Amino acid sequence: MFSRIRLTYHKRLFLGLVIYSWLLVGVVALFQYHREKQFKAEIFNTRLQALNEQIISHLDLTGSIEIPKNDINGLRISVIDYGGRVIYDNSLDTLPGSSHLDREEIAKALSTGEGYAVRRHSESTGGTYFYSAKRGKSYIVRTAVPYSLPLDRILSANYGFLWFMIGAAVVMCVIGFFVTRKEGKHIRRLRDFAKKAEKGESIVDVESFSRDELGDISNHIVMLYAKLQQTTAERDKEHRQAILAQQEKTRIKCQLTNNINHELKTPVAAMQVCLETLLTHKDMPSDKREEFLNRCYEANKRLQTLLVDVSTLTRIEDGAANICKERIDASLIISQICTEYEQAAKQKGIVIHNNVNSPIIINSNVSIFSSIFRNLMDNAIAYSEGSLIEINTEKETFDTVSFSFVDNGKGVGEQHLGKIFERFYRIDKGRSRQLGGTGLGLSIVKNAVIWHGGEIEVKNRKQGGLLFFFTLKKR
């Protein structure tokens, strides 16, 4: 029977507000109660500390203890040395022999200069006291007041604030009832709309919803019927966009194929000419024969490099989801690449500074990650005409790591900066082919960075050379 009872939204919301209000009153009242007791205890402690100060001053001057004038009944005065031994107590005939260093007020006085304990049992007298201690030059003076009914009243909290909070909670509940009732009405209307919409009934709702967040949500839901009529048109539009995207992808692939065919013609033609010459002139002098063989070998190397670059680019673009990932140390791979290119850089008078020293663990693929720095290194050594290459870690967070790759060469014209990541784009086509470049290196760099979920940018440095800045996601 009780399992079938279901409270309305209004009642549940109002009940939650009531519970919250009374919990808030309880927490605030409890906090205020303890805070006020602590405040009164500190005031009473200040009063006793003034007596402690008078006793210490008189003891320093005369060497004797004099109880200052006061209106406190049963005031107990103790003098304790720094070793914790009681050397004077006006309420005891026999001084205790136990150490008092573990007493709360004594420990605080030794560490901060003064301390107090609100309600502690005395082992010497068997009574309960309010203790207040102050540190002197070579001893501690402690005053204590019996925790009797008058002192308990002095330290007790004022309950006026509690009654005020109870009244405030009642007012909050009354206001909350009317507010939640209004919200409950909107929820009921929205529920009725949902039932009609589920049955496919026509919706005629003359009364508008309120102008608040809930009203906005309700109005948007009501507008769903109108938006359903646009579903077919939007689906057709998305279908056309998908076809256009596929056509664009096919166009890019065709363009890449045409560019590859164009790039292949040069090394293939060079090899063919060299081989035909060698076959036609079999009595060619050995030095000429060696020259043609070297030309054929260089053309073959260029062809092989082009095929490797195309394979890498295709692998990143078309097979990114199938590339295996593992945890790698980026700093170790960068160090190995720097060592690998050290001799080639030295031959051109270039010094490589690798400032990536600490381990950087990322989830990546060794081949794809290496292609970023290998191609940047190839580009800098071949074209920068500078004397320095620097690799730096700019910023590392929990999810990302940023690198900068810098050279101090002559840089690139501003009109070329926006295009150097395009496939087969060359600033100086003749010089690029002469140096064996394929025109795909920086395109591979950009695609490898994107494969890591990052971004890359390049700009000319004021002091000369290029700055490549890129961020990779570590996971």
CSV table of all heavy atoms in Angstrom, one decimal, residues 101-122:
chain,number,residue,atom,x,y,z
A,101,LEU,N,54.3,19.1,32.5
A,101,LEU,CA,54.5,19.5,31.1
A,101,LEU,C,53.4,19.0,30.2
A,101,LEU,O,53.3,19.6,29.1
A,101,LEU,CB,55.9,19.0,30.7
A,101,LEU,CG,57.1,19.6,31.4
A,101,LEU,CD1,58.4,19.0,30.8
A,101,LEU,CD2,57.1,21.1,31.1
A,102,ASP,N,52.7,17.9,30.6
A,102,ASP,CA,51.7,17.4,29.7
A,102,ASP,C,50.3,18.1,29.9
A,102,ASP,O,49.4,17.8,29.2
A,102,ASP,CB,51.5,15.9,29.9
A,102,ASP,CG,51.1,15.6,31.4
A,102,ASP,OD1,51.3,16.5,32.2
A,102,ASP,OD2,50.7,14.4,31.6
A,103,ARG,N,50.2,19.1,30.8
A,103,ARG,CA,49.0,19.8,31.0
A,103,ARG,C,48.8,20.7,29.8
A,103,ARG,O,49.7,21.4,29.3
A,103,ARG,CB,49.0,20.6,32.3
A,103,ARG,CG,49.3,19.8,33.5
A,103,ARG,CD,48.3,18.7,33.8
A,103,ARG,NE,48.4,18.2,35.1
A,103,ARG,CZ,49.1,17.2,35.5
A,103,ARG,NH1,49.9,16.5,34.7
A,103,ARG,NH2,49.1,16.8,36.8
A,104,GLU,N,47.6,20.8,29.3
A,104,GLU,CA,47.2,21.5,28.1
A,104,GLU,C,47.7,23.0,28.2
A,104,GLU,O,48.4,23.5,27.3
A,104,GLU,CB,45.7,21.5,27.8
A,104,GLU,CG,45.3,22.2,26.6
A,104,GLU,CD,43.8,22.2,26.4
A,104,GLU,OE1,43.1,21.5,27.1
A,104,GLU,OE2,43.3,22.9,25.4
A,105,GLU,N,47.3,23.7,29.3
A,105,GLU,CA,47.7,25.1,29.4
A,105,GLU,C,49.2,25.3,29.6
A,105,GLU,O,49.7,26.3,29.1
A,105,GLU,CB,46.9,25.7,30.6
A,105,GLU,CG,47.4,25.2,32.0
A,105,GLU,CD,46.8,23.9,32.4
A,105,GLU,OE1,46.0,23.3,31.5
A,105,GLU,OE2,47.1,23.4,33.5
A,106,ILE,N,49.9,24.4,30.2
A,106,ILE,CA,51.3,24.5,30.4
A,106,ILE,C,52.0,24.3,29.1
A,106,ILE,O,52.9,25.1,28.7
A,106,ILE,CB,51.8,23.5,31.4
A,106,ILE,CG1,51.1,23.7,32.8
A,106,ILE,CG2,53.3,23.6,31.6
A,106,ILE,CD1,51.3,25.0,33.4
A,107,ALA,N,51.6,23.3,28.3
A,107,ALA,CA,52.2,23.1,27.0
A,107,ALA,C,52.0,24.3,26.1
A,107,ALA,O,53.0,24.7,25.4
A,107,ALA,CB,51.6,21.8,26.4
A,108,LYS,N,50.8,24.9,26.1
A,108,LYS,CA,50.6,26.0,25.2
A,108,LYS,C,51.4,27.2,25.7
A,108,LYS,O,52.0,28.0,24.9
A,108,LYS,CB,49.1,26.4,25.3
A,108,LYS,CG,48.2,25.4,24.5
A,108,LYS,CD,46.8,25.9,24.6
A,108,LYS,CE,45.9,24.9,23.8
A,108,LYS,NZ,44.4,25.3,23.9
A,109,ALA,N,51.6,27.4,27.0
A,109,ALA,CA,52.3,28.6,27.5
A,109,ALA,C,53.8,28.4,27.2
A,109,ALA,O,54.5,29.4,26.8
A,109,ALA,CB,52.2,28.6,29.1
A,110,LEU,N,54.3,27.2,27.2
A,110,LEU,CA,55.7,27.0,26.8
A,110,LEU,C,56.0,27.3,25.4
A,110,LEU,O,57.0,27.8,25.0
A,110,LEU,CB,56.2,25.6,27.2
A,110,LEU,CG,56.4,25.3,28.7
A,110,LEU,CD1,56.7,23.8,28.9
A,110,LEU,CD2,57.6,26.1,29.2
A,111,SER,N,55.0,27.0,24.5
A,111,SER,CA,55.2,27.1,23.1
A,111,SER,C,54.8,28.5,22.5
A,111,SER,O,55.5,29.0,21.6
A,111,SER,CB,54.4,26.0,22.3
A,111,SER,OG,53.0,26.2,22.6
A,112,THR,N,53.8,29.1,23.1
A,112,THR,CA,53.3,30.4,22.6
A,112,THR,C,53.4,31.5,23.5
A,112,THR,O,53.1,32.7,23.2
A,112,THR,CB,51.9,30.2,22.1
A,112,THR,OG1,51.0,29.9,23.2
A,112,THR,CG2,51.7,29.1,21.0
A,113,GLY,N,53.7,31.3,24.8
A,113,GLY,CA,53.8,32.3,25.8
A,113,GLY,C,52.6,32.3,26.8
A,113,GLY,O,52.7,32.7,27.9
A,114,GLU,N,51.4,31.8,26.3
A,114,GLU,CA,50.3,31.7,27.2
A,114,GLU,C,49.3,30.7,26.7
A,114,GLU,O,49.3,30.3,25.5
A,114,GLU,CB,49.6,33.1,27.4
A,114,GLU,CG,49.0,33.6,26.1
A,114,GLU,CD,48.3,35.0,26.3
A,114,GLU,OE1,48.9,35.8,27.0
A,114,GLU,OE2,47.2,35.1,25.8
A,115,GLY,N,48.5,30.2,27.6
A,115,GLY,CA,47.5,29.1,27.2
A,115,GLY,C,46.4,29.0,28.3
A,115,GLY,O,46.6,29.4,29.4
A,116,TYR,N,45.3,28.3,27.8
A,116,TYR,CA,44.3,28.0,28.8
A,116,TYR,C,43.6,26.7,28.5
A,116,TYR,O,43.6,26.2,27.4
A,116,TYR,CB,43.3,29.2,28.9
A,116,TYR,CG,42.4,29.3,27.7
A,116,TYR,CD1,41.2,28.7,27.6
A,116,TYR,CD2,42.8,30.1,26.6
A,116,TYR,CE1,40.3,28.8,26.5
A,116,TYR,CE2,42.0,30.3,25.5
A,116,TYR,CZ,40.8,29.6,25.4
A,116,TYR,OH,40.0,29.7,24.3
A,117,ALA,N,42.9,26.2,29.5
A,117,ALA,CA,42.1,25.0,29.4
A,117,ALA,C,40.8,25.3,30.1
A,117,ALA,O,40.7,25.7,31.2
A,117,ALA,CB,42.8,23.8,30.1
A,118,VAL,N,39.7,25.0,29.3
A,118,VAL,CA,38.4,25.5,29.8
A,118,VAL,C,37.9,24.6,31.0
A,118,VAL,O,37.4,25.2,32.0
A,118,VAL,CB,37.3,25.4,28.6
A,118,VAL,CG1,35.9,25.8,29.1
A,118,VAL,CG2,37.8,26.4,27.5
A,119,ARG,N,37.9,23.3,30.8
A,119,ARG,CA,37.4,22.5,31.9
A,119,ARG,C,38.2,21.2,32.0
A,119,ARG,O,38.1,20.3,31.2
A,119,ARG,CB,35.9,22.2,31.5
A,119,ARG,CG,35.1,21.5,32.7
A,119,ARG,CD,33.7,21.5,32.3
A,119,ARG,NE,32.8,21.1,33.5
A,119,ARG,CZ,31.5,21.2,33.5
A,119,ARG,NH1,30.9,21.6,32.4
A,119,ARG,NH2,30.8,20.8,34.6
A,120,ARG,N,39.1,21.3,33.0
A,120,ARG,CA,40.0,20.1,33.2
A,120,ARG,C,40.0,19.7,34.7
A,120,ARG,O,40.0,20.5,35.6
A,120,ARG,CB,41.4,20.4,32.7
A,120,ARG,CG,42.3,19.2,32.7
A,120,ARG,CD,43.6,19.6,32.1
A,120,ARG,NE,44.4,20.6,32.7
A,120,ARG,CZ,45.1,20.4,33.8
A,120,ARG,NH1,45.1,19.3,34.5
A,120,ARG,NH2,45.7,21.5,34.4
A,121,HIS,N,40.0,18.4,34.9
A,121,HIS,CA,40.0,17.8,36.3
A,121,HIS,C,41.5,17.9,36.8
A,121,HIS,O,42.4,17.6,36.2
A,121,HIS,CB,39.6,16.4,36.2
A,121,HIS,CG,39.6,15.7,37.6
A,121,HIS,ND1,38.7,16.0,38.6
A,121,HIS,CD2,40.5,14.8,38.1
A,121,HIS,CE1,39.0,15.2,39.6
A,121,HIS,NE2,40.0,14.5,39.4
A,122,SER,N,41.6,18.3,38.1
A,122,SER,CA,42.9,18.5,38.8
A,122,SER,C,43.1,17.2,39.5
A,122,SER,O,42.3,16.7,40.4
A,122,SER,CB,42.9,19.6,39.7
A,122,SER,OG,44.0,19.7,40.5
